[in-house]
Amino acid sequence: MPRSSSTIVRIGQQRFLRWHSKKARTRTHTQAPFETCRLCQRSSSSLITLPRSLLPIAPPSSSPASPALRKPPLLPGLRRDPGPRPAPPGAMSAQGALSEALALIQSAPPTWKSAVFSNLLIFVGGSPILLAGLSASGIGAAFLLGTLTWRAFGPSGFLLVAAYFVIGTAATKVKMAQKEAQGVAEKRKGRRGPRSVIGSSAAGCVCAFLSIFSVGGEAFSPLWLLGFIASFCTKLSDTVSSEIGKAYGKTTYLVTTFKVVPRGTEGAVSLEGTIAGILASVLLALASFLLGQIKAPEAIICILASQIANLGESIIGAAFQDKEGFRWLNNDAVNVINISMGSILAVLMQQAFVPNL
């Protein structure tokens, strides 16, 4: 009896299924060129197969990539950028030391440690200028003065003393050869020793100690600063007026008798020297005002006190210095009296005229 077409198709499918199952058992999973599409397996009778390339793409597995998929090595001679490299230990230590040094210099309020360290740096860097105006022992005395000043009044106080030293040294060097020929020049070509440093700064040192130890409390602290500034205004005015008077003074008068005397005579004054001295005190008082140490009325007080003190110093020099019974009253002693008068006068004038400033 002839078979129907559906029967023939079913028999063919069964034979193909047996053949396909036998081949699948002898073939590994990775070698099978075909797989049954799961999306098309609607019933057990479906025998539709698709090539692997047409099956849905499976998500990437977490297994390690095959050697073929790894990044190729760089060409010879090329290196990957490692990114920012850490600074070498030496550079890090140098940066740390510099940061600590700056923090120490900027200490507020100043400490003895910061004062010594700051003065050491400044004195090493400014040694050529120091050697031009001071002897070796004078530099040692100036170092102590600078340390004390920094500790008491900070960098601004130190700058004031430095300005006094630079201007005073420059005035001393003016026409040095002419002064030496006339016998009125300072000894050692103007290089001052420790006695001169102490004599010029004694009143300022006293004010510095009073400020450091807070004598009188906060109410008196501005007065000690005012006395400190006035003492150096007085001394700078005295130094400049004397040195410029020796160099350019046309007529020199003795302050007690107004008698004409030679240049360099103790107690003598000249118009040129007096004007130069006033300008020097104005310059230093103005510097203190700009640095924020004192206010304008106090700057005027420093200028007035310095001129009154210098007049008194000239009178003392003319009347007593190098006279019988006053041999002890040498130039250094007169300097101490001079700057002490300037400092005390400034404090008294401030209390008398602007006590609430």
Side-chain angles (χ1 to χ4, degrees):
M1 180 178 180
R3 299 177 180 176
S4 64
S5 60
S6 60
T7 304
I8 295 172
V9 171
R10 189 181 304 110
I11 294 172
Q13 289 178 348
Q14 291 175 355
R15 289 179 179 178
F16 180 81
L17 180 61
R18 287 196 297 271
W19 173 83
H20 185 271
S21 300
K22 182 178 179 181
K23 297 294 286 183
R25 287 195 296 270
T26 60
R27 189 181 294 117
T28 61
H29 178 70
T30 58
Q31 293 175 336
F34 297 91
E35 285 186 0
T36 303
C37 179
R38 295 187 180 92
L39 299 177
C40 297
Q41 289 179 350
R42 297 185 180 89
S43 65
S44 60
S45 62
S46 298
L47 298 175
I48 301 174
T49 58
L50 294 174
R52 180 184 293 272
S53 60
L54 298 179
L55 294 177
I57 300 175
S61 62
S62 59
S63 59
S66 63
L69 298 178
R70 293 176 183 171
K71 292 183 179 179
L74 294 176
L75 295 176
L78 298 179
R79 298 181 179 178
R80 291 189 176 93
D81 185 9
R85 298 180 180 178
M92 294 179 64
S93 60
Q95 293 176 357
L98 181 60
S99 300
E100 291 181 4
L102 292 176
L104 185 60
I105 293 174
Q106 298 173 355
S107 301
T111 62
W112 286 111
K113 185 178 180 180
S114 67
V116 172
F117 179 74
S118 302
N119 274 263
L120 187 60
L121 290 180
I122 295 171
F123 271 63
V124 170
S127 55
I129 299 176
L130 293 169
L131 289 172
L134 296 170
S135 64
S137 56
I139 291 176
F143 182 83
L144 296 177
L145 170 62
T147 301
L148 178 63
T149 300
W150 192 292
R151 173 62 182 83
F153 305 114
S156 59
F158 182 90
L159 285 175
L160 183 74
V161 177
Y164 154 75
F165 171 75
V166 171
I167 298 172
T169 300
T172 303
K173 299 293 184 180
V174 172
K175 289 192 175 184
M176 178 59 71
Q178 173 186 307
K179 295 175 186 177
E180 289 178 336
Q182 295 175 351
V184 296
E186 293 290 332
K187 298 178 181 179
R188 300 183 296 274
K189 293 187 177 297
R191 297 177 66 210
R192 303 178 187 273
R195 292 176 58 184
S196 178
V197 173
I198 296 172
S200 302
S201 62
C205 290
V206 171
C207 291
F209 277 116
L210 292 173
S211 178
I212 291 172
F213 293 104
S214 300
V215 176
E218 291 294 330
F220 281 78
S221 181
L223 294 179
W224 308 143
L225 177 59
L226 177 64
F228 174 84
I229 296 170
S231 70
F232 281 98
C233 285
T234 301
K235 183 53 190 168
L236 181 63
S237 178
D238 175 55
T239 300
V240 171
S241 63
S242 176
E243 296 298 332
I244 298 302
K246 293 175 186 178
Y248 297 103
K250 295 180 179 179
T251 306
T252 308
Y253 301 91
L254 196 64
V255 70
T256 53
T257 62
F258 291 98
K259 180 182 177 181
V260 178
V261 293
R263 295 176 181 175
T265 302
E266 294 296 340
V269 296
S270 65
L271 178 62
E272 296 80 2
T274 302
I275 294 175
I278 294 173
L279 292 177
S281 64
V282 170
L283 182 61
L284 203 61
L286 178 61
S288 299
F289 170 73
L290 295 177
L291 288 172
Q293 296 176 307
I294 54 177
K295 297 181 180 179
E298 294 175 320
I300 296 173
I301 287 174
C302 287
I303 297 170
L304 294 176
S306 67
Q307 298 312 305
I308 296 172
N310 284 339
L311 178 61
E313 187 260 356
S314 297
I315 294 174
I316 293 173
F320 303 106
Q321 190 170 351
D322 294 331
K323 300 296 190 294
E324 189 66 31
F326 294 93
R327 298 297 181 186
W328 57 271
L329 196 62
N330 57 22
N331 192 55
D332 295 328
V334 172
N335 284 336
V336 172
I337 296 173
N338 180 30
I339 60 177
S340 298
M341 285 193 299
S343 182
I344 294 171
L345 280 172
V347 172
L348 294 178
M349 291 170 68
Q350 197 273 349
Q351 289 296 291
F353 298 111
V354 283
N356 298 321
L357 186 63

